């Protein structure tokens, strides 16, 4: 049982830091489960609201507050995933997970470069690349929760079963199904340095309107997918085929507004590109590189997903 000091005597509650220190873990978990930092922050907030809605006696009876918070946050996310599938059926165009700036380039939910608590950041690693998050979108809510909790965060199936509301064996099957899907869809990882070189070469060829160079950098079966959410103009259906993508990107270069900057930036921990107009990020480009060629391009233009990228 957690031991606390009596706040009535003006002494600090020793368990408060332990409870709040879970925020980073909960945000990491919720973002991977939902693919939206805005929804992840809401889920974490709802989790803490439920914690503080309990009486002190109820809180003291919880042996592991961290495990309790993880369970509640996961259940909140599972409910959100169920409703999100229905909402996305009416979404204008393709839905792409919310991209995050990398490292020191982003300031959590705050604006203007204010100091940021590390607990307000999402840990950027292989399990949060946009390619991985897009793949998670293809799973059922139960598969996604079971796979992320077990394979990414190493929770035993007994705990996963309590969250998902199924038997440990059923959760093992869910995670196994998700794992097979991941293995089938994900090629061998491209070295970070090579990924950077390919994206840099793509930027150079794009700015030079060099269609042959672009075709050479794109996989013949490459796909480009855009998300404007009905709030920004973009192509509504994926563009398939390296040659078609190259022609489309040259057309974009010809229509590029004066003063627009194309910058190399980290997107979800991987090299990407960002288009800025008057200090405001208007488009984020994320890439999946396989070998020496680009297999997927994700173009995010929905301004609601780019709020954390604004520099001004």
């Amino acid at each position: 049982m957690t031991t606390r000091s009596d706040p009535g005597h003006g002494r600090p509650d020793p368990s408060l830091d332990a409870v709040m220190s879970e925020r980073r873990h909960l945000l990491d978990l919720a973002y991977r489960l939902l693919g939206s930092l805005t929804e992840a922050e809401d889920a974490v907030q709802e989790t803490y609201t439920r914690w503080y809605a309990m009486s002190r006696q109820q809180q003291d009876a919880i042996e592991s507050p961290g495990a309790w918070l993880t369970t509640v946050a996961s259940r909140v996310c599972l409910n959100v995933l169920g409703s999100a599938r229905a909402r996305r059926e009416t979404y204008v165009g393709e839905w792409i997970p919310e991209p995050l700036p990398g490292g020191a380039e982003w300031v959590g939910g705050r604006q203007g470069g204010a100091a940021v608590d590390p607990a307000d950041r999402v840990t950027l690693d292989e399990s949060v690349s946009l390619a991985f998050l897009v793949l998670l979108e293809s799973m059922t809510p139960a598969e996604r929760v079971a796979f992320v909790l077990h394979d990414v965060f190493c929770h035993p199936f007994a705990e996963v079963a309590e969250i998902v509301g199924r038997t440990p064996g059923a959760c093992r099957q869910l995670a196994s199904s998700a794992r097979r899907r991941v293995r089938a869809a994900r090629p061998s990882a491209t070295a970070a340095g090579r990924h950077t070189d390919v994206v840099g070469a793509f930027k150079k060829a794009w700015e030079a309107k060099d269609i042959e160079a672009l075709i050479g950098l794109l996989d013949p079966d490459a796909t480009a997918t855009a998300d404007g959410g009905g709030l920004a103009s973009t192509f509504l259906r994926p563009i398939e085929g390296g040659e078609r993508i190259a022609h489309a990107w040259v057309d974009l270069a010809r229509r590029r507004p004066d003063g627009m900057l194309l910058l190399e930036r980290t997107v979800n921990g991987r090299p990407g590109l960002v288009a800025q107009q008057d200090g405001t990020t208007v488009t984020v480009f994320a890439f999946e590189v396989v070998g020496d060629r680009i297999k997927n391009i994700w173009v995010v233009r929905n301004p609601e997903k780019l709020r954390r990228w604004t520099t001004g």
Side-chain angles (χ1 to χ4, degrees):
M1 181 181 297
T2 304
T3 302
R4 299 171 184 259
S5 296
D6 182 0
H9 293 118
R11 289 177 293 178
D13 178 354
S15 69
L16 179 60
D17 287 344
V19 171
M20 295 309 297
S21 68
E22 295 294 326
R23 177 176 171 79
R24 171 71 168 269
H25 167 72
L26 297 177
L27 197 58
D28 280 349
L29 173 63
Y31 177 68
R32 286 160 177 79
L33 288 177
L34 300 176
S36 164
L37 187 55
T38 300
E39 291 183 347
E41 289 171 335
D42 289 344
V44 172
Q45 182 61 40
E46 172 63 20
T47 300
Y48 278 110
T49 296
R50 295 186 187 185
W51 171 265
Y52 287 110
M54 294 190 295
S55 67
R56 170 58 66 81
Q57 184 177 12
Q58 289 173 317
Q59 292 174 358
D60 285 342
I62 296 173
E63 183 176 354
S64 174
W68 186 93
L69 291 166
T70 295
T71 296
V72 172
S74 299
R75 287 174 177 167
V76 170
C77 289
L78 185 59
N79 290 336
V80 173
L81 284 171
S83 61
R85 292 173 77 87
R87 291 200 309 273
R88 288 169 194 170
E89 289 180 1
T90 61
Y91 194 81
V92 179
E94 300 291 323
W95 191 93
I96 296 175
E98 179 184 347
L100 297 183
E105 296 168 10
W106 74 289
V107 291
R110 299 177 174 89
Q111 297 294 325
V116 180
D117 187 329
D120 290 328
R121 295 180 184 271
V122 168
T123 303
L124 300 179
D125 60 21
E126 177 63 21
S127 71
V128 82
S129 70
L130 214 61
F132 189 73
L133 291 175
V134 168
L135 180 55
L136 291 179
E137 284 295 313
S138 67
M139 300 178 185
T140 67
E143 275 183 330
R144 185 168 183 166
V145 172
F147 175 75
V148 170
L149 281 171
H150 181 266
D151 284 45
V152 178
F153 289 93
C154 302
H155 289 276
F157 283 118
E159 292 181 10
V160 177
E162 183 181 353
I163 292 168
V164 178
R166 306 193 186 189
T167 66
C171 290
R172 187 176 289 105
Q173 288 294 327
L174 287 170
S176 178
S177 173
R179 199 176 303 122
R180 286 194 299 270
R181 192 174 304 184
V182 169
R183 289 172 178 167
R186 300 185 72 201
S188 301
T190 298
R194 187 57 192 148
H195 189 124
T196 301
D197 292 342
V198 171
V199 173
F202 183 87
K203 175 179 180 290
K204 182 178 180 181
W206 184 11
E207 292 182 317
K209 305 180 186 64
D210 187 339
I211 195 163
E212 294 302 323
L214 288 172
I215 291 174
L217 290 164
L218 289 158
D219 186 283
D221 297 321
T223 300
T225 307
D227 179 347
L231 301 175
S233 61
T234 190
F235 50 96
L236 296 178
R237 297 178 180 275
I239 302 174
E240 298 182 348
E243 189 168 340
R244 289 186 63 203
I245 294 172
H247 282 280
W249 254 246
V250 168
D251 185 55
L252 286 174
R254 289 170 179 158
R255 294 185 287 110
R256 179 175 168 179
D258 293 337
M260 178 172 285
L261 300 176
L262 187 61
L263 308 171
E264 295 182 26
R265 290 289 185 268
T266 300
V267 182
N268 284 59
R270 292 296 185 87
L273 300 175
V274 167
Q276 290 186 351
Q277 186 77 43
D278 300 323
T280 298
T281 295
V282 294
T283 312
V284 169
F285 301 88
F287 300 83
E288 181 180 32
V289 177
V290 179
D292 292 332
R293 293 194 172 189
I294 296 168
K295 182 69 174 178
N296 281 290
I297 304 175
W298 293 283
V299 182
V300 181
R301 285 185 47 77
N302 184 341
E304 293 183 347
K305 296 183 179 183
L306 300 178
R307 292 172 181 168
R308 299 167 207 281
W309 292 81
T310 299
T311 60

